[in-house]
Amino acid sequence: MNLRKITVTMLVALMTSQLSIAQKTTTVELKPSEEAPTISKHIYGHFAEHLGRCIYGGFYVGEDSDIPNTNGVRNDIIVALKDLKIPNLRWPGGCFADTYHWKDGIGPKEDRPTIVNRWWGGVTEDNSFGTHDFLNLCEVLETEPYLAGNVGSGTVQELIDWVQYTNHDGKSPMSDLRKKNGREKPWNVKYWGIGNEAWGCGGNMTPEYYSDEYRKYATFLSGWSNESGIFRIASGASSSDYKWTEVLMKNIKHNLLEGMALHHYSVIDWNNKSSSTGFEEEHYFKTMTEALKMEELIEKHTAIMDKYDPENKIALVVDEWGGWYDTDKGPNGTPLFQQNTMRDAMIAGVTLNIFNNRADRVKMANLAQTVNVLQAVILTDAETNKMLLTPTYHVMKMYNVHQDATLIPVEFESPKYEFNGESLPAVSISASKKEGKTHISLTNIDAEKENTIELDVTNLGIKNASGLILKSDKLQDHNTFDNPEKITPSEFKDFKLKKGKLSLTLPPLSVVVLEAK
Ligand code: AHR
């Protein structure tokens, strides 16, 4: 036996196997374009429903609480949401919206009637958080309110009264009532949803029937030519219900319609959604498959909208998105309370990149939901009242640099994230430019492998760069009330800028945002 020969053969084999383990570099072209759209800041919107501990016991603890608050809303939540630069906040639902009668929530709090929240646990609410409380909060947060009107169990009169109450500057029965309740100037609410999930909890309507209802509500909401500039949003499709979008686009007159909604949750099985923290990679892979489906949904709903609205006047509004798992048991386990792990950070990273890249049609979106419900950005502890920021919060904050920036189209073929014989694109990227700064956000969803990327920035005149990274070793890693900073962004230095090429390696399960100028 020739030992020398064996050694050389073994060496060659070793080198070859090492080469195949090392990731190939993925080349990404950033192509600034004159036609590229602005990424509307409203893509970074949020959603607060009367559900579980989102409003009561979440945002709102009441004026008499020991927890420092402003008009009953926790100060720590206000600070966190201001830092996040949330552009709009949708309220009061969700399914709750089609049961909500806004006049129950105005006037002296002790006189407000109680109601039963029939969709979410049948709990009795005292209406202490109502229209003034919400709209004043939006002013404090410097965010635009997005009110969801009650079509399912309300009336046209009730909704136009609400618009009068919030927006009328002159004398009218509703503006007089507003003034009597302590608010002189109108709030001028621009965004109005006409019902919610009309195909389901909003009334189980057919798209044809809802289109007619919508036409009636939209007509009275805004007058002859919508001179007040109200932005009317139709209750949109659930995920891939393309027929819903088609019928609405065909049947609703376009001078009555500014936005078409779409809801899509990353849920793996409605009957077995799996635990928010006790899940396996198999569940993660399925969740990411659902999250990445957003791209196809936007493409197909947009194709229908393009057919009826070739001038692209009507916005696609994804006003509910996020991960949905089984409700956590234990002290925090009120309806739809779930922890938030690196899986959620990955959902946020890829979804926001999809929205940015489709900013031509997607003009608004709302993560479900803000506090203590579904893919929340903030959790509060029911027993200790501690509060924490979730990994999703950090991703939303890192990405907010794209708000109102010009999209830079990105072209590349993603390396694969392979699991059990199936694969997904591992890397997602979006980029934008504003005030001389370029921002590039990258997410690597691969649970095991790093990915090496070379960004061709030749056309962007970049001289230096800096970055932030959010990462953690395990998919299930999350922040807890005892360790609220386990997952927080840190400085990212692992990149090189040389001759118009920005090269970096993305660790597994990581989100990176680079700023370059
Ligand atoms: O976000 C939770 C619920 O999901 C909303 O109330 C409803 O619109 C959707 O089905």
Side-chain angles (χ1 to χ4, degrees):
M1 188 192 279
N2 183 341
L3 273 179
R4 193 177 158 269
K5 205 170 169 192
I6 289 174
T7 315
V8 171
T9 316
M10 282 166 68
L11 255 176
V12 169
L14 188 70
M15 280 167 67
T16 319
S17 73
Q18 293 250 311
L19 271 179
S20 63
I21 287 169
Q23 293 292 305
K24 278 193 284 172
T25 298
T26 301
T27 309
V28 180
E29 240 188 300
L30 272 70
K31 295 176 118 185
S33 148
E34 294 280 304
E35 282 107 64
T38 298
I39 298 170
S40 168
K41 66 177 179 178
H42 288 294
I43 282 176
Y44 290 80
H46 289 261
F47 170 33
E49 178 166 11
H50 287 233
L51 198 180
R53 291 188 302 108
C54 182
I55 300 292
Y56 298 111
F59 273 93
Y60 186 75
V61 288
E63 289 83 345
D64 302 331
S65 170
D66 292 339
I67 303 170
N69 67 81
T70 303
N71 301 324
V73 176
R74 288 177 71 132
N75 288 345
D76 50 4
I77 291 185
I78 291 176
V79 170
L81 293 180
K82 283 189 86 160
D83 274 359
L84 199 51
K85 297 201 172 89
I86 70 166
N88 70 74
L89 186 57
R90 180 174 182 243
W91 177 84
C95 294
F96 179 79
D98 281 292
T99 65
Y100 183 61
H101 300 284
W102 67 271
K103 284 181 186 158
D104 292 346
I106 55 169
K109 297 202 174 186
E110 60 278 13
D111 297 342
R112 296 184 191 173
T114 55
I115 50 162
V116 172
N117 189 334
R118 73 176 79 131
W119 289 118
W120 305 117
V123 292
T124 304
E125 296 188 6
D126 65 3
N127 270 308
S128 50
F129 191 87
T131 297
H132 290 247
D133 309 273
F134 175 69
L135 295 178
N136 291 342
L137 169 64
C138 288
E139 283 187 342
V140 172
L141 294 175
E142 294 169 40
T143 194
E144 290 240 28
Y146 166 13
L147 291 177
N150 180 347
V151 170
S153 70
T155 62
V156 173
Q157 187 62 50
E158 186 180 3
L159 189 53
I160 58 178
D161 277 354
W162 206 9
V163 178
Q164 280 275 314
Y165 190 87
T166 58
N167 289 5
H168 192 68
D169 203 7
K171 190 170 168 48
S172 79
M174 288 302 117
S175 55
D176 285 351
L177 185 58
R178 181 188 72 229
K179 288 174 194 168
K180 191 174 144 230
N181 288 330
R183 171 76 187 200
E184 188 64 29
K185 284 276 146 211
W187 290 277
N188 292 323
V189 179
K190 176 173 174 179
Y191 297 100
W192 291 86
I194 300 192
N196 169 74
E197 298 195 346
W199 41 264
C201 63
N204 276 308
M205 302 176 202
T206 63
E208 290 79 8
Y209 180 81
Y210 173 71
S211 301
D212 283 348
E213 282 289 284
Y214 178 94
R215 289 165 66 125
K216 188 172 67 181
Y217 273 79
T219 303
F220 292 106
L221 205 67
S222 41
W224 288 114
S225 55
N226 192 13
E227 48 289 330
S228 56
I230 282 182
F231 195 98
R232 295 158 293 187
I233 301 166
S235 165
S238 170
S239 299
S240 59
D241 183 356
Y242 300 113
K243 184 182 170 207
W244 186 272
T245 303
E246 177 102 35
V247 174
L248 266 56
M249 286 301 293
K250 194 161 100 194
N251 290 6
I252 297 174
K253 292 168 142 189
H254 290 184
N255 66 341
L256 295 174
L257 180 65
E258 283 74 37
M260 174 68 69
L262 168 67
H263 289 181
H264 176 63
Y265 284 99
S266 303
V267 60
I268 58 178
D269 175 353
W270 284 105
N271 298 315
N272 186 13
K273 298 190 270 306
S274 86
S275 154
S276 68
T277 49
F279 61 93
E280 303 296 330
E281 189 174 349
E282 185 190 346
H283 298 113
Y284 168 64
F285 191 87
K286 283 185 185 157
T287 306
M288 294 316 296
T289 307
E290 285 304 309
L292 288 161
K293 213 176 256 174
M294 185 66 88
E295 185 153 16
E296 176 188 325
L297 294 173
I298 291 174
E299 196 182 310
K300 292 191 175 163
H301 285 287
T302 296
I304 297 165
M305 293 177 77
D306 286 349
K307 187 163 112 192
Y308 294 96
D309 173 33
E311 288 176 17
N312 194 1
K313 290 194 171 146
I314 300 165
L316 185 57
V317 177
V318 190
D319 56 10
E320 287 186 32
W321 68 271
W324 192 326
Y325 320 113
D326 287 334
T327 297
D328 284 0
K329 304 278 182 295
N332 285 304
T334 45
L336 309 198
F337 180 92
Q338 57 190 44
Q339 248 295 356
N340 196 286
T341 63
M342 284 308 291
R343 167 167 66 174
D344 297 280
M346 297 298 107
I347 298 176
V350 301
T351 306
L352 294 172
N353 280 337
I354 294 170
F355 290 161
N356 287 345
N357 287 326
R358 291 314 313 261
D360 55 329
R361 189 60 92 161
V362 182
K363 305 283 180 196
M364 191 164 176
N366 301 79
L367 173 65
Q369 296 194 8
T370 318
V371 183
N372 290 334
V373 168
L374 299 178
Q375 193 175 336
V377 290
I378 293 170
L379 301 177
T380 63
D381 188 66
E383 289 182 340
T384 61
N385 290 326
K386 286 181 184 172
M387 167 283 209
L388 65 78
L389 306 176
T390 66
T392 300
Y393 175 95
H394 295 301
V395 176
M396 295 284 291
K397 187 166 172 196
M398 286 163 71
Y399 273 56
N400 72 17
V401 289
H402 292 299
Q403 292 186 10
D404 286 339
T406 305
L407 178 76
I408 301 173
V410 173
E411 272 180 28
F412 74 109
E413 196 175 323
S414 171
K416 289 188 169 75
Y417 163 32
E418 283 165 342
F419 181 77
N420 267 355
E422 290 183 77
S423 73
L424 291 172
V427 175
S428 99
I429 303 177
S430 69
S432 70
K433 190 158 189 171
K434 191 167 123 183
E435 292 157 8
K437 288 180 192 160
T438 298
H439 290 106
I440 307 159
S441 44
L442 309 98
T443 299
N444 178 19
I445 66 167
D446 200 306
E448 303 285 338
K449 285 192 206 146
E450 59 182 35
N451 276 299
T452 302
I453 308 289
E454 186 184 78
L455 299 158
D456 183 345
V457 292
T458 327
N459 296 321
L460 292 164
I462 285 169
K463 298 206 171 48
N464 51 58
S466 58
L468 282 176
I469 183 165
L470 189 86
K471 67 180 169 91
S472 201
D473 293 342
K474 290 203 207 104
L475 275 169
Q476 298 81 0
D477 284 350
H478 56 276
N479 292 335
T480 62
F481 296 109
D482 292 329
N483 188 6
E485 307 222 329
K486 178 177 170 63
I487 303 167
T488 49
S490 55
E491 195 181 347
F492 180 69
K493 293 187 187 154
D494 196 10
F495 63 86
K496 277 193 207 101
L497 176 62
K498 209 170 158 196
K499 293 190 183 154
K501 303 275 168 21
L502 236 171
S503 317
L504 64 143
T505 297
L506 296 169
L509 303 176
S510 66
V511 176
V512 168
V513 176
L514 296 170
E515 177 171 295
K517 51 186 177 181

